[in-house]
Amino acid sequence: MHPVLLEIGSFKIYSYGFFIAVGYVSALLLGRFLAKSKNRDPSPFMDIAFIAIVSGVIGSRVLYVMTEPSKFIAYPLEIFDVWNGGLVFYGGLLLAGATSLAYGAWKKIPLVEGADIVLTGVAFAHAFGRIGCLAAGCCHGSACRYPWGILNNTPFVDPALRGQPLHPVQLYESISLFALSGMMTWLIYKSRARNGISTAVYLLGYSSIRFFLENFRGDSERGFVLDGALSTSQVISIVLFMLGLLILPFAFRRKDL
């Protein structure tokens, strides 16, 4: 693992923070491109993308802190050390969704068209973020018996797994998210799919990716329900998948929602 990307004296650039920043800028550029491709003024879409990304980081951190309360009660200032890793994506998605909907309603931005563009950017940014997770060593995989298993001895790894090759589940998810954002971009830019289809594809696609990849995660602090039968993220994935199924038929029937 390479948690520190660059170090010059006391100055450090952390890999996690670097890739979060790259994802953020990339998402804004992609959102601007997609808005222009639909002959829309990109400014309001950029505003909502900015709000979504900032609130997403806050929500992700808040949910992570909630999973490790004793740690942050002892060291409260570490709550702000987001560059070292420690974001739970679904927390960010929920808060970003709420704030984006509120801002979009206030500015009268077309709801579903805005969601199509913003969620495409979210998927793209998330793909970079998972590379940051891999470099930092957080959100790690379970034991892997295949040749591509990686060693991860960072403090994020459960003690029982240290010294064992682990699934590079962060990379699995990053590749899947690049593919998902590519599909969504194609739907908006090339196929001119009806508004809402990209949103449905995101909900169906990401929830499926996350539900499946949770089986290869090895970090126990992410939380479980039903006596460990499902992780918290798998439960949220089921809800989002059902929401995607509800949106899809409406998207095919009309051009706006």
Short mmCIF file of all heavy atoms in Angstrom, two decimals, residues 131-176:
data_model
loop_
_atom_site.label_atom_id
_atom_site.label_comp_id
_atom_site.label_asym_id
_atom_site.label_seq_id
_atom_site.Cartn_x
_atom_site.Cartn_y
_atom_site.Cartn_z
N ILE A 131 -9.65 3.85 -5.99
CA ILE A 131 -8.21 3.72 -6.17
C ILE A 131 -7.50 4.30 -4.94
O ILE A 131 -6.51 3.75 -4.45
CB ILE A 131 -7.74 4.42 -7.46
CG1 ILE A 131 -8.38 3.75 -8.69
CG2 ILE A 131 -6.21 4.40 -7.56
CD1 ILE A 131 -8.09 4.47 -9.99
N GLY A 132 -8.04 5.41 -4.44
CA GLY A 132 -7.51 5.99 -3.21
C GLY A 132 -7.64 5.04 -2.03
O GLY A 132 -6.74 4.95 -1.19
N CYS A 133 -8.76 4.32 -1.97
CA CYS A 133 -8.95 3.34 -0.90
C CYS A 133 -7.89 2.24 -0.98
O CYS A 133 -7.36 1.81 0.04
CB CYS A 133 -10.35 2.69 -1.01
SG CYS A 133 -11.71 3.78 -0.61
N LEU A 134 -7.61 1.79 -2.20
CA LEU A 134 -6.60 0.75 -2.39
C LEU A 134 -5.23 1.24 -1.91
O LEU A 134 -4.50 0.52 -1.22
CB LEU A 134 -6.53 0.35 -3.86
CG LEU A 134 -5.52 -0.73 -4.22
CD1 LEU A 134 -5.88 -2.06 -3.57
CD2 LEU A 134 -5.43 -0.89 -5.74
N ALA A 135 -4.88 2.48 -2.27
CA ALA A 135 -3.60 3.03 -1.87
C ALA A 135 -3.51 3.22 -0.36
O ALA A 135 -2.46 2.95 0.25
CB ALA A 135 -3.36 4.36 -2.58
N ALA A 136 -4.61 3.65 0.26
CA ALA A 136 -4.61 3.89 1.70
C ALA A 136 -4.70 2.60 2.50
O ALA A 136 -4.25 2.54 3.64
CB ALA A 136 -5.77 4.81 2.08
N GLY A 137 -5.32 1.57 1.91
CA GLY A 137 -5.48 0.29 2.60
C GLY A 137 -6.81 0.12 3.28
O GLY A 137 -7.05 -0.92 3.92
N CYS A 138 -7.71 1.09 3.14
CA CYS A 138 -9.02 0.98 3.79
C CYS A 138 -9.99 0.21 2.87
O CYS A 138 -9.69 -0.07 1.72
CB CYS A 138 -9.58 2.35 4.12
SG CYS A 138 -9.85 3.43 2.70
N CYS A 139 -11.18 -0.11 3.43
CA CYS A 139 -12.21 -0.82 2.65
C CYS A 139 -11.64 -2.08 2.02
O CYS A 139 -11.93 -2.40 0.86
CB CYS A 139 -12.82 0.08 1.58
SG CYS A 139 -13.41 1.67 2.20
N HIS A 140 -10.83 -2.79 2.77
CA HIS A 140 -10.03 -3.89 2.22
C HIS A 140 -10.85 -5.17 2.00
O HIS A 140 -11.96 -5.31 2.50
CB HIS A 140 -8.85 -4.18 3.13
CG HIS A 140 -9.25 -4.65 4.50
ND1 HIS A 140 -9.55 -5.96 4.78
CD2 HIS A 140 -9.39 -3.97 5.66
CE1 HIS A 140 -9.86 -6.08 6.06
NE2 HIS A 140 -9.77 -4.89 6.61
N GLY A 141 -10.23 -6.10 1.27
CA GLY A 141 -10.89 -7.35 0.94
C GLY A 141 -10.65 -8.44 1.97
O GLY A 141 -9.91 -8.27 2.94
N SER A 142 -11.31 -9.55 1.74
CA SER A 142 -11.12 -10.73 2.58
C SER A 142 -9.94 -11.54 2.05
O SER A 142 -9.33 -11.19 1.03
CB SER A 142 -12.40 -11.58 2.56
OG SER A 142 -12.74 -11.94 1.22
N ALA A 143 -9.61 -12.63 2.73
CA ALA A 143 -8.48 -13.47 2.32
C ALA A 143 -8.70 -13.99 0.89
O ALA A 143 -9.81 -14.38 0.52
CB ALA A 143 -8.32 -14.63 3.29
N CYS A 144 -7.62 -13.97 0.11
CA CYS A 144 -7.69 -14.35 -1.30
C CYS A 144 -6.68 -15.46 -1.58
O CYS A 144 -5.49 -15.33 -1.25
CB CYS A 144 -7.40 -13.13 -2.19
SG CYS A 144 -7.39 -13.46 -3.96
N ARG A 145 -7.15 -16.54 -2.20
CA ARG A 145 -6.24 -17.65 -2.52
C ARG A 145 -5.81 -17.64 -3.99
O ARG A 145 -5.18 -18.59 -4.46
CB ARG A 145 -6.94 -18.99 -2.21
CG ARG A 145 -8.25 -19.22 -2.95
CD ARG A 145 -8.92 -20.50 -2.47
NE ARG A 145 -10.22 -20.73 -3.10
CZ ARG A 145 -10.38 -21.34 -4.26
NH1 ARG A 145 -9.33 -21.77 -4.92
NH2 ARG A 145 -11.59 -21.52 -4.77
N TYR A 146 -6.13 -16.57 -4.69
CA TYR A 146 -5.78 -16.46 -6.11
C TYR A 146 -4.48 -15.67 -6.27
O TYR A 146 -4.07 -14.92 -5.38
CB TYR A 146 -6.92 -15.81 -6.88
CG TYR A 146 -8.21 -16.59 -6.78
CD1 TYR A 146 -9.28 -16.11 -6.01
CD2 TYR A 146 -8.36 -17.81 -7.43
CE1 TYR A 146 -10.46 -16.82 -5.91
CE2 TYR A 146 -9.54 -18.54 -7.33
CZ TYR A 146 -10.58 -18.05 -6.56
OH TYR A 146 -11.74 -18.76 -6.45
N PRO A 147 -3.84 -15.78 -7.43
CA PRO A 147 -2.53 -15.12 -7.62
C PRO A 147 -2.56 -13.61 -7.49
O PRO A 147 -1.52 -12.99 -7.22
CB PRO A 147 -2.13 -15.54 -9.04
CG PRO A 147 -2.91 -16.77 -9.33
CD PRO A 147 -4.20 -16.63 -8.58
N TRP A 148 -3.72 -12.98 -7.70
CA TRP A 148 -3.78 -11.53 -7.67
C TRP A 148 -4.05 -10.97 -6.26
O TRP A 148 -4.25 -9.77 -6.10
CB TRP A 148 -4.83 -11.01 -8.63
CG TRP A 148 -6.21 -11.57 -8.42
CD1 TRP A 148 -7.14 -11.17 -7.51
CD2 TRP A 148 -6.82 -12.65 -9.15
NE1 TRP A 148 -8.29 -11.91 -7.62
CE2 TRP A 148 -8.12 -12.83 -8.62
CE3 TRP A 148 -6.39 -13.47 -10.19
CZ2 TRP A 148 -8.99 -13.81 -9.11
CZ3 TRP A 148 -7.26 -14.45 -10.66
CH2 TRP A 148 -8.54 -14.61 -10.13
N GLY A 149 -4.02 -11.83 -5.25
CA GLY A 149 -4.18 -11.34 -3.88
C GLY A 149 -3.05 -10.38 -3.52
O GLY A 149 -1.92 -10.51 -3.99
N ILE A 150 -3.37 -9.38 -2.70
CA ILE A 150 -2.37 -8.36 -2.32
C ILE A 150 -2.19 -8.35 -0.81
O ILE A 150 -3.11 -8.67 -0.06
CB ILE A 150 -2.79 -6.95 -2.81
CG1 ILE A 150 -4.14 -6.56 -2.22
CG2 ILE A 150 -2.83 -6.89 -4.33
CD1 ILE A 150 -4.54 -5.13 -2.49
N LEU A 151 -0.99 -7.99 -0.37
CA LEU A 151 -0.72 -7.86 1.06
C LEU A 151 -1.07 -6.45 1.52
O LEU A 151 -0.76 -5.46 0.84
CB LEU A 151 0.75 -8.16 1.34
CG LEU A 151 1.18 -9.61 1.18
CD1 LEU A 151 2.69 -9.73 1.38
CD2 LEU A 151 0.45 -10.52 2.16
N ASN A 152 -1.70 -6.38 2.66
CA ASN A 152 -2.13 -5.10 3.20
C ASN A 152 -1.94 -5.15 4.72
O ASN A 152 -2.71 -5.81 5.42
CB ASN A 152 -3.59 -4.83 2.84
CG ASN A 152 -4.09 -3.48 3.35
OD1 ASN A 152 -3.42 -2.80 4.12
ND2 ASN A 152 -5.28 -3.10 2.92
N ASN A 153 -0.92 -4.49 5.21
CA ASN A 153 -0.63 -4.50 6.64
C ASN A 153 -0.85 -3.13 7.29
O ASN A 153 -0.24 -2.80 8.30
CB ASN A 153 0.81 -4.96 6.89
CG ASN A 153 1.01 -6.42 6.49
OD1 ASN A 153 0.19 -7.27 6.82
ND2 ASN A 153 2.09 -6.69 5.76
N THR A 154 -1.73 -2.33 6.69
CA THR A 154 -2.02 -1.02 7.25
C THR A 154 -2.90 -1.17 8.49
O THR A 154 -3.51 -2.22 8.71
CB THR A 154 -2.76 -0.14 6.21
OG1 THR A 154 -4.04 -0.73 5.94
CG2 THR A 154 -1.96 -0.03 4.92
N PRO A 155 -3.01 -0.11 9.30
CA PRO A 155 -3.84 -0.17 10.51
C PRO A 155 -5.32 -0.41 10.23
O PRO A 155 -6.07 -0.79 11.14
CB PRO A 155 -3.63 1.21 11.15
CG PRO A 155 -2.32 1.68 10.62
CD PRO A 155 -2.24 1.14 9.22
N PHE A 156 -5.75 -0.19 8.98
CA PHE A 156 -7.16 -0.40 8.65
C PHE A 156 -7.54 -1.88 8.63
O PHE A 156 -8.71 -2.23 8.77
CB PHE A 156 -7.48 0.19 7.27
CG PHE A 156 -7.43 1.68 7.21
CD1 PHE A 156 -6.37 2.33 6.59
CD2 PHE A 156 -8.43 2.46 7.78
CE1 PHE A 156 -6.31 3.71 6.53
CE2 PHE A 156 -8.39 3.83 7.73
CZ PHE A 156 -7.32 4.47 7.11
N VAL A 157 -6.56 -2.76 8.42
CA VAL A 157 -6.84 -4.18 8.22
C VAL A 157 -7.14 -4.87 9.55
O VAL A 157 -6.45 -4.65 10.55
CB VAL A 157 -5.66 -4.88 7.52
CG1 VAL A 157 -5.93 -6.37 7.35
CG2 VAL A 157 -5.39 -4.23 6.17
N ASP A 158 -8.18 -5.71 9.55
CA ASP A 158 -8.48 -6.51 10.73
C ASP A 158 -7.26 -7.33 11.10
O ASP A 158 -6.63 -7.94 10.22
CB ASP A 158 -9.66 -7.43 10.45
CG ASP A 158 -10.98 -6.68 10.40
OD1 ASP A 158 -10.98 -5.45 10.49
OD2 ASP A 158 -12.01 -7.34 10.26
N PRO A 159 -6.89 -7.37 12.38
CA PRO A 159 -5.67 -8.08 12.80
C PRO A 159 -5.60 -9.53 12.30
O PRO A 159 -4.53 -10.02 11.96
CB PRO A 159 -5.76 -8.02 14.33
CG PRO A 159 -6.53 -6.77 14.61
CD PRO A 159 -7.54 -6.67 13.51
N ALA A 160 -6.75 -10.21 12.23
CA ALA A 160 -6.75 -11.61 11.82
C ALA A 160 -6.34 -11.79 10.36
O ALA A 160 -5.96 -12.88 9.95
CB ALA A 160 -8.13 -12.22 12.05
N LEU A 161 -6.41 -10.70 9.56
CA LEU A 161 -6.11 -10.81 8.14
C LEU A 161 -4.73 -10.28 7.78
O LEU A 161 -4.30 -10.44 6.63
CB LEU A 161 -7.17 -10.04 7.33
CG LEU A 161 -8.58 -10.63 7.32
CD1 LEU A 161 -9.54 -9.68 6.63
CD2 LEU A 161 -8.59 -11.99 6.63
N ARG A 162 -4.03 -9.70 8.72
CA ARG A 162 -2.72 -9.14 8.40
C ARG A 162 -1.73 -10.25 8.06
O ARG A 162 -1.70 -11.28 8.71
CB ARG A 162 -2.21 -8.31 9.58
CG ARG A 162 -3.00 -7.02 9.75
CD ARG A 162 -2.55 -6.21 10.93
NE ARG A 162 -3.47 -5.10 11.15
CZ ARG A 162 -3.46 -4.31 12.21
NH1 ARG A 162 -2.54 -4.51 13.16
NH2 ARG A 162 -4.33 -3.33 12.35
N GLY A 163 -0.96 -9.99 7.02
CA GLY A 163 0.01 -10.98 6.57
C GLY A 163 -0.53 -11.96 5.56
O GLY A 163 0.22 -12.77 5.01
N GLN A 164 -1.84 -11.88 5.28
CA GLN A 164 -2.46 -12.77 4.29
C GLN A 164 -2.74 -11.99 3.00
O GLN A 164 -3.08 -10.80 3.05
CB GLN A 164 -3.79 -13.32 4.80
CG GLN A 164 -3.72 -14.15 6.05
CD GLN A 164 -5.09 -14.70 6.41
OE1 GLN A 164 -5.74 -15.35 5.60
NE2 GLN A 164 -5.53 -14.44 7.63
N PRO A 165 -2.65 -12.65 1.84
CA PRO A 165 -3.08 -11.99 0.60
C PRO A 165 -4.59 -11.73 0.66
O PRO A 165 -5.36 -12.59 1.08
CB PRO A 165 -2.75 -13.01 -0.49
CG PRO A 165 -1.75 -13.92 0.13
CD PRO A 165 -2.08 -13.99 1.59
N LEU A 166 -4.98 -10.53 0.25
CA LEU A 166 -6.39 -10.13 0.30
C LEU A 166 -6.90 -9.82 -1.10
O LEU A 166 -6.15 -9.42 -1.99
CB LEU A 166 -6.55 -8.89 1.19
CG LEU A 166 -5.99 -8.95 2.61
CD1 LEU A 166 -6.22 -7.62 3.32
CD2 LEU A 166 -6.63 -10.11 3.39
N HIS A 167 -8.21 -9.98 -1.26
CA HIS A 167 -8.83 -9.58 -2.52
C HIS A 167 -8.66 -8.07 -2.70
O HIS A 167 -8.97 -7.30 -1.78
CB HIS A 167 -10.33 -9.90 -2.50
CG HIS A 167 -10.65 -11.33 -2.80
ND1 HIS A 167 -10.62 -11.84 -4.07
CD2 HIS A 167 -11.03 -12.35 -1.98
CE1 HIS A 167 -10.96 -13.11 -4.04
NE2 HIS A 167 -11.21 -13.46 -2.79
N PRO A 168 -8.20 -7.60 -3.86
CA PRO A 168 -8.14 -6.16 -4.12
C PRO A 168 -9.54 -5.65 -4.48
O PRO A 168 -9.79 -5.18 -5.60
CB PRO A 168 -7.18 -6.06 -5.31
CG PRO A 168 -7.35 -7.36 -6.04
CD PRO A 168 -7.63 -8.39 -4.98
N VAL A 169 -10.44 -5.76 -3.51
CA VAL A 169 -11.85 -5.47 -3.78
C VAL A 169 -12.04 -4.00 -4.17
O VAL A 169 -12.98 -3.66 -4.92
CB VAL A 169 -12.70 -5.85 -2.55
CG1 VAL A 169 -12.42 -4.94 -1.37
CG2 VAL A 169 -14.18 -5.87 -2.88
N GLN A 170 -11.15 -3.14 -3.69
CA GLN A 170 -11.24 -1.73 -4.09
C GLN A 170 -11.04 -1.58 -5.60
O GLN A 170 -11.70 -0.77 -6.25
CB GLN A 170 -10.19 -0.89 -3.34
CG GLN A 170 -10.17 -1.09 -1.84
CD GLN A 170 -9.11 -2.08 -1.39
OE1 GLN A 170 -8.89 -3.09 -2.05
NE2 GLN A 170 -8.45 -1.80 -0.27
N LEU A 171 -10.10 -2.37 -6.14
CA LEU A 171 -9.84 -2.32 -7.58
C LEU A 171 -11.00 -2.95 -8.35
O LEU A 171 -11.37 -2.45 -9.42
CB LEU A 171 -8.54 -3.05 -7.90
CG LEU A 171 -8.00 -2.93 -9.32
CD1 LEU A 171 -7.78 -1.46 -9.69
CD2 LEU A 171 -6.70 -3.70 -9.47
N TYR A 172 -11.57 -4.04 -7.82
CA TYR A 172 -12.75 -4.63 -8.47
C TYR A 172 -13.84 -3.56 -8.63
O TYR A 172 -14.46 -3.43 -9.68
CB TYR A 172 -13.33 -5.76 -7.62
CG TYR A 172 -12.45 -6.95 -7.33
CD1 TYR A 172 -12.79 -7.84 -6.30
CD2 TYR A 172 -11.31 -7.22 -8.07
CE1 TYR A 172 -12.01 -8.95 -6.02
CE2 TYR A 172 -10.52 -8.33 -7.80
CZ TYR A 172 -10.87 -9.19 -6.77
OH TYR A 172 -10.10 -10.29 -6.48
N GLU A 173 -14.05 -2.82 -7.54
CA GLU A 173 -15.13 -1.83 -7.57
C GLU A 173 -14.78 -0.66 -8.48
O GLU A 173 -15.64 -0.13 -9.20
CB GLU A 173 -15.45 -1.34 -6.16
CG GLU A 173 -16.69 -0.47 -6.10
CD GLU A 173 -17.19 -0.25 -4.69
OE1 GLU A 173 -16.83 -1.02 -3.78
OE2 GLU A 173 -17.98 0.70 -4.50
N SER A 174 -13.52 -0.24 -8.47
CA SER A 174 -13.11 0.87 -9.32
C SER A 174 -13.33 0.55 -10.80
O SER A 174 -13.90 1.35 -11.54
CB SER A 174 -11.63 1.19 -9.08
OG SER A 174 -11.20 2.23 -9.92
N ILE A 175 -12.91 -0.63 -11.22
CA ILE A 175 -13.10 -1.04 -12.61
C ILE A 175 -14.58 -1.10 -12.97
O ILE A 175 -15.00 -0.63 -14.03
CB ILE A 175 -12.42 -2.40 -12.86
CG1 ILE A 175 -10.90 -2.27 -12.75
CG2 ILE A 175 -12.80 -2.96 -14.24
CD1 ILE A 175 -10.16 -3.59 -12.74
N SER A 176 -15.38 -1.64 -12.06
CA SER A 176 -16.83 -1.73 -12.29
C SER A 176 -17.45 -0.35 -12.41
O SER A 176 -18.34 -0.12 -13.25
CB SER A 176 -17.49 -2.51 -11.15
OG SER A 176 -16.97 -3.81 -11.04
#
